Amino acid sequence: MIESMPIVLLGGTVAMELAPRLEASGYATQPLLPLERPDKTQDPPPAAVILSSGLEGHIPSLRSRWGSLPILLGSHQDDVEGRCRALGSGADDLWLCSAGPSDLLTRLRLHLQLKPSISETSQPIVVGDLEVYPLNHSVQRAGQPISLTSREFELLLLLLRLSPQVVSREVILKDIWPDERSTTSNVIEVYVRYLRRKLEAGGQSRLIHTVRGQGYTLREER
């Protein structure tokens, strides 16, 4: 198996139709009924969660249950509107329903490649009142937990590791979105905005700063 942890499928018949193709590609799968009550004590978490279109309302409870693992939401349109709807719901990415398992498998492999290696330290990376634990994707600020998607977490971790260095758009795209590095997508600005909103939700000071014409830096301003 490619992953020892299963890929959770949520969406009834539509999701279960994906199971044979995923299993043929080396993934273990596990169904999750839409009305199944989240169990926060469940361990270990799955490798990823795949949702059928229209089930974005389940994402908050999935985040509460498992944290920042990859969540892929089905969509009938692969355009700016469709992407905004998927990312705005808290999903890490969308998979195009009309393209079937082939599109899903490509996106799934990419997101699983972003997972931290087992050799990551269990010690937190600390900047001011922000604490990030790379090994378990745990984030908190001023003692309050912050729920991030896997892409949000990877972007935050990149900025933290290079802090206080200014990180260019090119470096961010190459590290976090290698499949989009030749595009003019505003995906970086979108995710920086998401991160700022979550990191500053309690009225805390800004940590991620824009350096015009150069990129972004994460630092505590004295």
Side-chain angles (χ1 to χ4, degrees):
M1 286 291 178
I2 295 175
E3 280 284 342
S4 59
M5 296 180 293
I7 306 297
V8 164
L9 303 173
L10 177 58
T13 303
V14 175
M16 294 315 300
E17 288 176 349
L18 298 169
R21 180 62 183 275
L22 287 167
E23 291 170 359
S25 297
Y27 297 100
T29 63
Q30 173 184 321
L32 184 69
L33 299 177
L35 297 180
E36 186 174 338
R37 190 171 184 177
D39 177 7
K40 294 183 180 181
T41 64
Q42 180 169 329
D43 186 61
V49 177
I50 297 170
L51 298 176
S52 297
S53 176
L55 294 183
E56 56 268 22
H58 293 277
I59 293 178
S61 63
L62 292 170
R63 291 290 180 209
S64 175
R65 179 177 184 175
W66 285 315
S68 57
L69 81 174
I71 295 180
L72 282 67
L73 177 66
S75 176
H76 294 291
Q77 54 186 121
D78 188 10
D79 53 18
V80 173
E81 182 180 352
R83 287 178 178 274
C84 287
R85 182 182 302 112
L87 298 179
S89 70
D92 294 288
D93 201 354
L94 59 82
W95 61 276
L96 195 57
C97 298
S98 60
S102 58
D103 182 65
L104 173 60
L105 284 167
T106 298
R107 296 173 190 258
L108 180 60
R109 289 190 190 101
L110 175 63
H111 285 279
L112 293 180
Q113 289 171 4
L114 295 174
K115 296 175 67 176
S117 67
I118 196 167
S119 62
E120 296 252 33
T121 176
S122 61
Q123 296 301 310
I125 302 174
V126 180
V127 174
D129 58 356
L130 176 69
E131 297 182 22
V132 177
Y133 294 80
L135 191 60
N136 62 7
H137 280 202
S138 174
V139 180
Q140 64 181 38
R141 188 168 189 194
Q144 297 300 312
I146 299 174
S147 178
L148 300 180
T149 67
S150 61
R151 281 288 175 94
E152 289 169 348
F153 184 85
E154 292 297 326
L155 176 56
L156 177 61
L157 200 58
L158 175 64
L159 294 174
L160 272 172
R161 284 174 169 161
L162 297 179
S163 175
Q165 175 183 333
V166 177
V167 187
S168 69
R169 285 177 50 87
E170 290 73 20
V171 169
I172 294 174
L173 282 174
K174 182 178 180 180
D175 194 88
I176 309 297
W177 289 275
D179 57 327
E180 298 186 38
R181 60 181 179 272
S182 62
T183 73
T184 57
S185 170
N186 67 340
V187 66
I188 297 176
E189 288 80 359
V190 170
Y191 273 86
V192 167
R193 184 166 65 250
Y194 289 161
L195 273 176
R196 282 173 173 164
R197 184 183 306 159
K198 292 182 178 181
L199 294 178
E200 300 167 17
Q204 289 94 340
S205 60
R206 177 148 296 183
L207 289 177
I208 301 176
H209 306 275
T210 302
V211 180
R212 190 175 298 277
Q214 297 183 49
Y216 299 91
T217 179
L218 191 152
R219 65 174 184 269
E220 182 185 24
E221 291 197 332
R222 302 294 181 181

